[in-house]
């Protein structure tokens, strides 16, 4: 059955409006009597039947409610340096499929892409739509949170104070990802700082270590592209805590 993000939830009924209504009616051409799945980012999903299709909304009667265990038990966030082209979109899509809790687009010294003001807001809205579609495709019941484009000093205010920070860094030669994760708590959030093309400036790594108590780690002897490092690190962390495989 097709999946939709619920626009409004009532007692034994929910409504689809705006883009969700348009997708159901104009793209999928579903009709009264068809069954669908709705989710509302609370962790629940609802099996429902289409009862009424109107100009502004679709009314769906709830048949069953479930709380499937599809979300990662450990909350893992990406704080990713802005990358040009479609690289950020790819990281957001694949990160959503894997189970990331959210993504912070981060301004960095070596970033080629520069986003400010309304341009930054519009881009984040586009990224949220990509994440929303990936959530439906991967049968998630909570969409990852896409934060505003942020500077380094804003990081501490965006995530809980108990967040554990990791920063893969090519100059780190002694600490491995696995050795650091053994000392982390899977019950507390983990944030992965991923550099843009060209990596982090050394001063940025030092700032993260001093202000976020970020642990720098090695991902091995080969230099990875920014988007590869993001997805590889996310996969390794989720796998370490048993959320993949």
């Amino acid at each position: 059955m097709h999946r939709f993000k619920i626009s409004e939830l009532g007692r034994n009924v929910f409504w689809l409006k705006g883009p969700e209504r348009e997708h159901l009616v104009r793209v999928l051409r579903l009709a009264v009597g068809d069954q669908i799945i709705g989710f509302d980012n609370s962790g629940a999903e609802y099996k429902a039947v289409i009862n009424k299709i109107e100009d502004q909304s679709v009314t769906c009667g709830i048949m069953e409610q479930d709380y499937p265990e599809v979300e990662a038990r450990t909350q893992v966030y990406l704080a990713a340096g802005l990358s040009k082209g479609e690289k950020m979109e790819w990281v957001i899509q694949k990160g959503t499929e894997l189970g990331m809790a959210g993504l912070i687009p981060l301004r960095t010294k070596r970033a080629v892409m520069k986003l400010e003001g309304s341009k930054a807001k519009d881009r984040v809205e586009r990224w949220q739509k990509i994440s929303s579609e990936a959530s439906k495709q991967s049968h998630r019941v909570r969409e990852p949170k896409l934060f505003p484009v942020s500077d380094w000093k804003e990081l501490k205010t965006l995530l809980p104070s108990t967040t554990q920070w990791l920063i893969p860094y090519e100059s780190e030669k002694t600490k491995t990802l696995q050795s650091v994760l053994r000392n982390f708590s899977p019950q507390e959030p983990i944030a992965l700082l991923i550099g843009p093309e060209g990596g982090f400036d050394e001063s940025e790594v030092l700032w993260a270590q001093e202000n976020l108590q970020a642990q720098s780690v090695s991902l091995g002897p080969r230099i990875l592209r920014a988007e590869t490092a993001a997805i590889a690190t996310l996969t390794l962390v989720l796998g370490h805590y048993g959320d993949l495989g």
Side-chain angles (χ1 to χ4, degrees), residues 41-91:
N41 283 329
S42 69
E45 69 176 22
Y46 306 87
K47 182 179 179 181
V49 61
I50 299 173
N51 287 340
K52 186 188 298 183
I53 297 177
E54 299 176 290
D55 289 343
Q56 300 299 320
S57 66
V58 175
T59 304
C60 304
I62 296 173
M63 303 163 61
E64 297 176 12
Q65 181 178 347
D66 192 19
Y67 290 86
E69 295 184 7
V70 295
E71 296 299 322
R73 292 184 293 275
T74 300
Q75 289 189 313
V76 184
Y77 294 86
L78 290 176
L82 293 172
S83 298
K84 63 181 180 179
E86 298 179 350
K87 294 178 181 179
M88 287 291 287
E89 296 181 3
W90 189 85
V91 168

Side-chain angles (χ1 to χ4, degrees), residues 4-223:
F4 297 87
K5 184 166 66 173
I6 294 170
S7 304
E8 184 180 345
L9 181 64
R11 183 179 178 85
N12 300 322
V13 66
F14 64 75
W15 293 269
L16 304 178
K17 301 178 181 180
E20 296 296 288
R21 185 256 178 212
E22 294 302 302
H23 186 65
L24 182 147
V25 174
R26 299 187 182 278
V27 179
L28 299 176
R29 298 186 180 277
L30 299 181
V32 170
D34 288 337
Q35 294 182 6
I36 63 170
I37 297 290
F39 69 99
D40 62 350
N41 283 329
S42 69
E45 69 176 22
Y46 306 87
K47 182 179 179 181
V49 61
I50 299 173
N51 287 340
K52 186 188 298 183
I53 297 177
E54 299 176 290
D55 289 343
Q56 300 299 320
S57 66
V58 175
T59 304
C60 304
I62 296 173
M63 303 163 61
E64 297 176 12
Q65 181 178 347
D66 192 19
Y67 290 86
E69 295 184 7
V70 295
E71 296 299 322
R73 292 184 293 275
T74 300
Q75 289 189 313
V76 184
Y77 294 86
L78 290 176
L82 293 172
S83 298
K84 63 181 180 179
E86 298 179 350
K87 294 178 181 179
M88 287 291 287
E89 296 181 3
W90 189 85
V91 168
I92 290 165
Q93 182 187 67
K94 302 309 174 188
T96 298
E97 292 175 20
L98 286 167
M100 72 175 182
L103 182 138
I104 303 170
L106 184 62
R107 296 186 183 95
T108 61
K109 291 184 177 180
R110 296 178 181 171
V112 176
M113 177 187 285
K114 306 295 182 184
L115 288 177
E116 303 289 345
S118 61
K119 187 176 180 180
K121 183 179 179 181
D122 291 344
R123 190 63 62 91
V124 171
E125 289 178 356
R126 171 175 170 76
W127 290 337
Q128 186 68 68
K129 291 178 182 177
I130 291 171
S131 178
S132 179
E133 289 303 314
S135 296
K136 296 174 188 175
Q137 183 274 325
S138 56
H139 288 202
R140 292 187 61 172
V141 290
R142 283 193 178 95
E143 296 176 339
K145 179 176 176 57
L146 266 292
F147 292 85
V149 179
S150 303
D151 295 309
W152 285 90
K153 292 182 179 179
E154 298 175 274
L155 291 178
K156 293 182 74 172
T157 67
L158 298 177
L159 297 179
S161 60
T162 55
T163 300
Q164 305 156 107
W165 296 84
L166 274 172
I167 182 165
Y169 186 43
E170 61 270 16
S171 295
E172 177 60 60
K173 303 300 182 185
T174 59
K175 286 186 291 184
T176 65
L177 179 63
Q178 296 298 327
S179 66
V180 171
L181 288 177
R182 282 196 290 267
N183 295 317
F184 275 17
S185 169
Q187 281 74 47
E188 301 296 344
I190 296 174
L192 313 177
L193 289 157
I194 306 295
E197 301 100 335
F200 287 127
D201 184 86
E202 183 179 358
S203 64
E204 293 173 321
V205 177
L206 291 173
W207 188 93
Q209 291 171 334
E210 293 174 2
N211 293 275
L212 303 173
Q213 286 71 56
Q215 298 288 316
S216 59
V217 297
S218 170
L219 295 181
R222 292 167 295 281
I223 301 299

